[in-house]
Structures are given as C-alpha cells and as structure tokens.
Amino acid sequence: TSDMIRAWFGSSSKSADDNTQQQQYESSHVTDISDDTGTFRPFPSSTTDAARSAASNFGFGGASRGARSTQQDARIERQISVAARNLGDGVQKIVIAAKSKQGGSEWKTDLMTLLGNSAPSNEEKDKSSPSKKSDVDALLENSKCERFILRCVEAELPPNLIHCLRLVRVVELQNASVKAEAEDGEKSRAWTPVALKATQKVTRLLCVLCKDTSVGEQLRPHLFGLLALSGASYPPSGVHVATAASQVISSLADYCLTRQLVWFIHDRKMILHMTDDIKELTGLTTAAGGAVPMCLTGYDAEKAGLWLIAFQTVVRLISASCRFNTIDLVKDFEAAGGYEVLKYAVDHSTSPHGVKLVELLPDLICCPARQPEESFDESNLKVAANVRPMQLQEDMLHKSSPLLKEFQEEHAGKMPNLTSEGTLRTLSFMSIQKAARLRNNEHQGGDLQPDHKFRFDMPSALLQATLQ
C-alpha cells in the first residue's frame, strides 16, 4: 500500500511539473496574435481553445470572413452601378423634356426630386415610415468604395452631372423671372435659391469623381459647357451654381488634367471664351444677344462675388496647365486681354473681393511666359517667371503709394530706379516731407484723399500677396 501511495504521488507530481513546463513554454515562445478586430490577445493555452482559435484566425473562420467581405464589396459595387445608371437615365429624360418643352415646368420638379432637393412629405416626416433614399444620396454614401469612380464612369455619370449643373442654372433663371413678374417688375435682389441643396449634392459627387484622368477624358466633349458656367451671369439666387462650377473645375485642374486635355482646351480656344465671358460680366463689353434679364452684371455682379469666382477659376486652370511643360493657356490668357481685364477688376472691386483678386497675382507671376526646357521641374512653378503680371503688381503699388505718386510727378512720370545712386536718399527725404504734410493735414481736419481710389486696402493686399 505504501508503495502504491508513493507511486501515485510521484506520478501526480510529474504530471503537474509537465503542465507547468508546458505553460511556461507557451508563455515564453508563443507570441501574441491579432484577431480581425485589431486587438491583440495571448494565444490560448488549452488544446481545444487553441484549435478553435487557429481555425478562426487562420482557417475556416478567416476564409468565411474574407468571403463575407468580398460579398459585401460586390454588393456595394452593384448598388453604385444601379444608382449611377438610374441617375444618368433620369437626367437624360429630363434633358430631353427640357429641350422639347414637354410637360411645361414638370421637368424642373422631376429634376429636384431626382437630386433629392424636394421637401419631405408628411409621410416621410413620420419616423414610422422612413423615406426611400435617393440615388444621389446612395452614391454619396458609398463614395469611399475603392471602385466607385470606375463604376460611375462605366455608367457615364460625370457628363450627366454636368447636365445637372446646367439645368439648375436654368431653374434659377426661370424662377427669378417668375418672381420678377409676380412683383410687378420690381428687381428684388434677395431671392432665395430653389436648388441649393441639389447643387451641393451634385458638386460633392463631381469633386469626388474628378480625381482620376479617366473622368477628364470622359468630360472632354462637355468641358466647354462646364467652363462657361464659371463666368456666366446669374440672378442673385443662382450665384451658388457659379461657385459649384468653380469648385468642380478646380478639382478637375488639380487631378484630371493631362497634356492632351490641355492641348484640347487650347485648340478649342476655351480660355479666350472664358475671358470674353468675364469681360461681359464686368461690363467692359456687351453680350451679342444682350444681357439676360434679371441677371447680375457690372458692379452688381462684383458685389455678389461673380468677378472673383470667374477669375479664380481661369487662373487655377492656367496655373495647373503649366505642370505639363506647356505655356499654351498662359499665352491664350494674354492674347485674350486677360491681364487688362484683371487690372480693371482690381481697380473697381470692393473688399474682400479685391484683396482676393490681388492674391491671384503670385500664381500668374509663377506661370512661365516662355516655353520651358525639357528638363522642366514643377518646383520651377514657385519662381517668378512672368513679367506681365509683375508689371501689373508694380502698377498697383505705384497707384496705392502716395510717396511713389509724388516721385513720378516730380520726375516727369519716371519711376524710381533703386539701383541708381542717390535714389534711396531722395526717397527717404521725400517720405519725411510727405509724412509731415499728411500729419499737418490731419491736424487741420482736412480730408485725406487717396491718390487712386481703391475701395480696399491695396498696400496691405499687395504685402499679403507678396508674402505668400
């Protein structure tokens, strides 16, 4: 009996020692692994748990999750394809109805409904009856999908979204005309946009799509219509369409431009047409068919920010084109008289629009005026290379500085040459005299009339633009 008890205790002790050694081996040799949630946990010690964990992470469980993930991606792609196709088909039907004037103004209601701009009905407001999600909302919700752009391009969605922006402009124009007639011809300037929500959704979609060169190529036949939207005239309620077009064009310029597309824009003289539109917008020229009723032009357009929107768009496009070792669009802008129009716009703009127009000068100054060499690098776009906008900036500086204005008057219109001997001494002496006269005039209660009546702080604007 004693021998049996001794043997039993010995075997138990040996078994315990073996278990302890096994646990120590697992804790010291088995590293932590990560599960599909991204959290780290120790490898299980028991054989059953280890088998279950291995099957889950490395075997059948991982394959199951991978299959579910693939199925989910495929389902999302199908949703994108269906929504893009439905939205495109809907836009095409509305375009046909608008051109043929079928059904009167029903196409406008259909457009607002298609783009999710309509107000919810009483049933939709009831939480117990959720409203159906529009195709636009479904696309925006799935816009982060890896193949989102591919599926939308396959359904030819980008051109149809351009049609939407152009149709929205027509909606705002007709709405402004109807309101003017309702007010017995009074030109109210405080109308509320009727398609703001729809425009915002279309803009978001287009900015997401304009991140691939394939979209730029698909939009090639529709570029003229898109670029024209940035410099067109609008009623007060339609300014948001110009802003949307500018945002889309900026995204296209940053991500979708190619050397071939730049040449296409140059060959079709689109920069020339954009500059002509700005001339009409500023009032320098008159449209061939006359001004569109109830649309803003001249100083009214400037106050609404339309001058600024148009110039920001064309300068962004020109500056982006220089990345492709070409100066075609820079030359087109100069040939169209773009610098003269910009000078006029700065001279007659108010704050803050005038300040932002001045901030465009450094971008134009860094656009090369001569054909770059083959070894052109994009870093060269940060170097002053265009004399024409530099002269424009210098002219603004002279007009806004009383000291330089007085120097010109005393030296027969000549500008100071800082490299010649004695010029700095002369300017220093004149500055002291000028400051004393201005101070005495202020104490005597006289009005200080600026040498050039800029309607914003030009010296500060020039300084801010120079320090960019």
Side-chain angles (χ1 to χ4, degrees):
T1 303
S2 59
D3 293 336
M4 293 176 60
I5 294 174
R6 191 180 299 111
W8 184 84
F9 276 109
S11 61
S12 299
S13 177
K14 182 178 180 180
S15 177
D17 292 339
D18 291 343
N19 289 336
T20 302
Q21 291 177 1
Q22 178 67 18
Q23 292 176 359
Q24 291 176 351
Y25 175 83
E26 290 177 353
S27 61
S28 61
H29 290 79
V30 179
T31 58
D32 291 350
I33 61 173
S34 173
D35 58 11
D36 60 317
T37 62
T39 57
F40 288 88
R41 55 184 175 78
F43 198 88
S45 58
S46 65
T47 305
T48 304
D49 292 341
R52 186 181 299 113
S53 177
S56 175
N57 288 282
F58 307 108
F60 300 103
S64 177
R65 277 192 299 275
R68 287 197 300 270
S69 178
T70 303
Q71 292 175 358
Q72 184 178 8
D73 292 341
R75 179 179 57 82
I76 293 176
E77 289 186 28
R78 285 195 299 271
Q79 291 178 352
I80 294 173
S81 298
V82 171
R85 185 169 58 252
N86 291 342
L87 181 58
D89 292 343
V91 172
Q92 286 297 317
K93 293 178 181 178
I94 293 173
V95 169
I96 295 174
K99 288 182 177 180
S100 61
K101 298 182 180 180
Q102 297 176 355
S105 61
E106 291 183 2
W107 68 266
K108 292 185 287 187
T109 304
D110 294 339
L111 178 65
M112 295 299 99
T113 303
L114 182 67
L115 300 180
N117 193 85
S118 303
S121 62
N122 294 330
E123 294 181 357
E124 292 174 345
K125 292 180 181 179
D126 187 5
K127 295 182 180 179
S128 60
S129 57
S131 59
K132 181 182 178 181
K133 186 180 300 183
S134 66
D135 292 321
V136 176
D137 293 330
L139 289 169
L140 289 172
E141 183 178 332
N142 297 316
S143 61
K144 294 184 179 180
C145 177
E146 183 179 358
R147 298 185 179 181
F148 178 77
I149 296 179
L150 175 62
R151 297 304 176 216
C152 291
V153 169
E154 289 176 349
E156 298 185 353
L157 181 62
N160 285 303
L161 293 177
I162 302 299
H163 291 323
C164 288
L165 287 180
R166 301 183 67 182
L167 288 170
V168 167
R169 177 175 182 265
V170 176
V171 170
E172 296 292 0
L173 286 171
Q174 294 184 358
N175 181 65
S177 178
V178 170
K179 287 190 175 183
E181 294 177 358
E183 296 178 4
D184 298 329
E186 294 181 5
K187 295 183 179 181
S188 174
R189 298 297 183 184
W191 296 325
T192 303
V194 297
L196 178 60
K197 185 178 178 182
T199 305
Q200 291 173 341
K201 291 182 178 182
V202 172
T203 305
R204 285 176 57 193
L205 265 181
L206 278 171
C207 288
V208 171
L209 291 171
C210 289
K211 296 292 178 66
D212 191 88
T213 55
S214 62
V215 177
E217 288 300 321
Q218 192 174 61
L219 289 178
R220 178 182 291 213
H222 308 273
L223 273 181
F224 193 90
L226 173 61
L227 298 181
L229 288 175
S230 65
S233 57
Y234 292 87
S237 58
V239 177
H240 63 95
V241 182
T243 303
S246 180
Q247 292 175 357
V248 174
I249 295 171
S250 297
S251 182
L252 184 143
D254 291 340
Y255 301 101
C256 298
L257 276 188
T258 60
R259 182 66 183 87
Q260 293 76 17
L261 201 58
V262 171
W263 171 255
F264 177 79
I265 295 173
H266 163 70
D267 185 59
R268 295 295 188 272
K269 303 183 185 302
M270 294 187 186
I271 298 298
L272 173 65
H273 290 294
M274 293 177 73
T275 307
D276 288 342
D277 289 342
I278 298 176
K279 291 178 182 178
E280 296 176 4
L281 200 60
T282 56
L284 288 174
T285 59
T286 305
V292 180
M294 307 313 301
C295 282
L296 301 173
T297 56
Y299 290 113
D300 291 333
E302 190 281 326
K303 292 179 182 178
L306 290 175
W307 292 11
L308 176 62
I309 293 172
F311 269 112
Q312 284 179 330
T313 306
V314 69
V315 171
R316 184 73 167 269
L317 188 60
I318 294 171
S319 178
S321 70
C322 296
R323 303 196 311 263
F324 302 95
N325 197 24
T326 175
I327 60 170
D328 291 336
L329 302 192
V330 179
K331 291 298 184 182
D332 290 345
F333 184 70
E334 184 176 7
Y339 295 116
E340 289 75 15
V341 182
L342 178 59
K343 179 179 179 297
Y344 175 86
V346 171
D347 288 345
H348 297 83
S349 289
T350 57
S351 181
H353 303 145
V355 176
K356 294 182 179 180
L357 282 174
V358 174
E359 292 177 356
L360 297 177
L361 288 175
D363 292 333
L364 290 172
I365 290 174
C366 294
C367 292
R370 297 180 180 180
Q371 184 62 41
E373 300 177 357
E374 293 297 330
S375 58
F376 176 76
D377 189 271
E378 287 191 21
S379 60
N380 295 334
L381 295 178
K382 299 180 181 179
V383 179
N386 196 342
V387 177
R388 188 66 184 88
M390 291 179 67
Q391 294 174 341
L392 189 62
Q393 189 177 29
E394 184 180 12
D395 180 69
M396 295 175 185
L397 176 62
H398 293 159
K399 287 183 177 180
S400 61
S401 173
L403 175 62
L404 296 178
K405 181 70 173 179
E406 185 170 329
F407 184 95
Q408 284 182 291
E409 293 175 353
E410 293 186 3
H411 294 79
K414 293 182 179 180
M415 299 308 301
N417 184 3
L418 299 181
T419 60
S420 62
E421 184 178 359
T423 302
L424 287 177
R425 185 182 299 107
T426 302
L427 287 173
S428 299
F429 181 74
M430 291 179 60
S431 66
I432 296 175
Q433 291 182 325
K434 185 70 173 179
R437 287 197 302 271
L438 291 175
R439 185 172 181 82
N440 291 334
N441 193 6
E442 183 180 6
H443 284 311
Q444 294 173 5
D447 294 331
L448 296 177
Q449 299 295 333
D451 295 288
H452 182 83
K453 296 182 180 181
F454 287 109
R455 296 195 281 177
F456 59 95
D457 188 357
M458 174 60 78
S460 298
L462 287 171
L463 178 61
Q464 183 176 349
T466 305
L467 295 177
Q468 285 184 359

